[in-house]
Amino acid sequence: MDDLLVMAGRLYDVWRHPERLFTYRLEAFKRRLISLLTINGPSGREQQVRGHLQTRLRPKTDKLYTNHYGNLLATIHCGDGPTVLLSAHMDTVCSFLSDRAIVCNGNTLRASSGLLGADDRAGIAVILELMDVIRHSRFRGTLKTAFTVQEEIGCLGSRHLDRDFLCDVDAAIVVDRRSTRDIVTSNGGTPFCPDEYGRLFEQAGALAGMPDWKTTTGGLSDAKVFASFGIPSVNLSVGYENEHTEDETLDCQAALETVLLLETVFNQNWLTPFLERRIAVQN
């Protein structure tokens, strides 16, 4: 009963002050992040993370399975259109300390000791948030998700994705970049996608009131692996800093803004004309 009263109060508050919807959503998103940051899962030992995700994804997906290498793969059908892959990795570079706590200072999270693990639990949280709303969006197509293992030791999980899972994927979006508002489209001299694909995300950022989302170069990630399979790929910032160190932090608001960027991309259906032109050129 108390929960219903709180919900009713918040709905009334949002009705009177629509700008507060983001504040309430950020609170819920922060709880999701903290939950994921408490689950241990170093490279090669991702079982607990995978089990957590399986429980939450089973009611939301049309198909969900773990492949032979331990990657968790899901499919959601949202009508006729392109197939887009969202990906984040389940492993962290090392184990969490058993006595650590998650310290929250405003919208910034850190660990009391040892690794925080926002690389890449933040990416997982962003994808889960999008999966909650994708069926209610204007997106027409198929959304696939790949939660990969062993990314931190050479992107091994993505290299062992099933070819029949990837065969119809038209484009990929990896959510595993430090900092804020980077759209990684290349690794030095190796492009991950045509320039036009990266510009779609810049345009979506501008439409969502975040014009400083910009294309840039980056390092090794699963995006490079997907690009090597011939799939146009980008890697998006998700708000963590100082990954792989005890000084790692996560900006929860920045991570939620990545969700807003992706919601804009999918709601506008901007991927469809780009991919149709790409297919026409190839044929």
Side-chain angles (χ1 to χ4, degrees):
M1 184 66 177
D2 289 343
D3 289 343
L4 289 175
L5 289 173
V6 170
M7 184 180 299
R10 289 192 169 187
L11 286 172
Y12 179 70
D13 189 33
V14 169
W15 176 71
R16 293 190 62 192
H17 307 282
E19 70 279 1
R20 293 183 186 171
L21 179 61
F22 182 84
T23 301
Y24 291 134
R25 187 176 185 185
L26 181 58
E27 288 179 12
F29 185 62
K30 191 183 301 182
R31 290 193 293 271
R32 168 171 271 171
L33 285 165
I34 292 172
S35 176
L36 287 166
L37 289 166
T38 62
I39 308 171
N40 217 350
S43 298
R45 289 180 284 162
E46 299 91 345
Q47 297 91 329
Q48 291 183 56
V49 186
R50 186 168 52 242
H52 175 87
L53 293 176
Q54 285 172 324
T55 300
R56 280 146 187 78
L57 294 179
R58 199 168 282 117
K60 301 176 183 178
T61 57
D62 296 306
K63 184 176 182 181
L64 178 69
Y65 73 100
T66 301
N67 81 341
H68 69 286
Y69 204 75
N71 300 300
L72 183 61
L73 309 176
T75 303
I76 301 175
H77 298 294
C78 300
D80 295 331
T83 298
V84 181
L85 175 67
L86 282 175
S87 183
H89 63 88
M90 294 185 286
D91 60 317
T92 56
V93 73
C94 63
S95 296
F96 299 152
L97 297 179
S98 59
D99 60 347
R100 72 165 198 159
I102 305 299
V103 179
C104 182
N105 182 9
N107 290 323
T108 302
L109 303 181
R110 65 173 65 246
S112 60
S113 58
L115 191 74
L116 176 63
D119 174 14
D120 189 26
R121 301 301 164 74
I124 292 175
V126 165
I127 293 174
L128 292 178
E129 196 80 6
L130 186 71
M131 293 176 79
D132 284 345
V133 301
I134 193 68
R135 290 192 192 274
H136 306 292
S137 74
R138 292 192 291 270
F139 172 63
R140 293 296 171 266
T142 298
L143 180 69
K144 289 189 172 184
T145 59
F147 297 104
T148 61
V149 297
Q150 299 181 14
E151 190 272 350
E152 297 288 8
I153 54 175
C155 300
L156 298 183
S158 58
R159 298 180 195 276
H160 288 85
L161 285 176
D162 308 25
R163 291 299 184 264
D164 58 349
F165 178 77
L166 292 175
C167 67
D168 64 341
V169 172
D170 298 301
I173 303 167
V174 177
V175 192
D176 181 28
R177 169 70 172 176
R178 72 175 71 87
S179 192
T180 59
R181 305 192 181 184
D182 284 349
I183 306 161
V184 177
T185 57
S186 69
N187 176 23
T190 304
F192 297 164
C193 63
D195 292 343
E196 182 186 359
Y197 187 53
R199 286 197 295 270
L200 289 176
F201 295 87
E202 291 183 337
Q203 294 164 10
L207 184 62
M210 301 178 288
D212 48 344
W213 278 94
K214 298 296 179 184
T215 58
T216 187
T217 61
L220 181 64
S221 72
D222 285 339
K224 182 178 181 181
V225 176
F226 298 140
S228 73
F229 297 154
I231 301 170
S233 305
V234 294
N235 186 11
L236 302 179
S237 284
V238 70
Y240 61 74
E241 301 280 2
N242 304 312
E243 68 276 16
H244 304 177
T245 76
E246 294 189 3
D247 296 321
E248 185 182 16
T249 60
L250 173 62
D251 183 333
C252 298
Q253 180 168 324
L256 184 55
E257 287 171 350
T258 304
V259 178
L260 300 182
L261 175 76
L262 288 170
E263 288 178 347
T264 303
V265 169
F266 282 93
N267 267 316
Q268 296 299 317
N269 268 312
W270 279 344
L271 296 176
T272 300
F274 161 74
L275 293 170
E276 287 176 346
R277 288 192 296 272
R278 179 173 177 265
I279 292 169
V281 169
Q282 290 177 332
N283 292 337

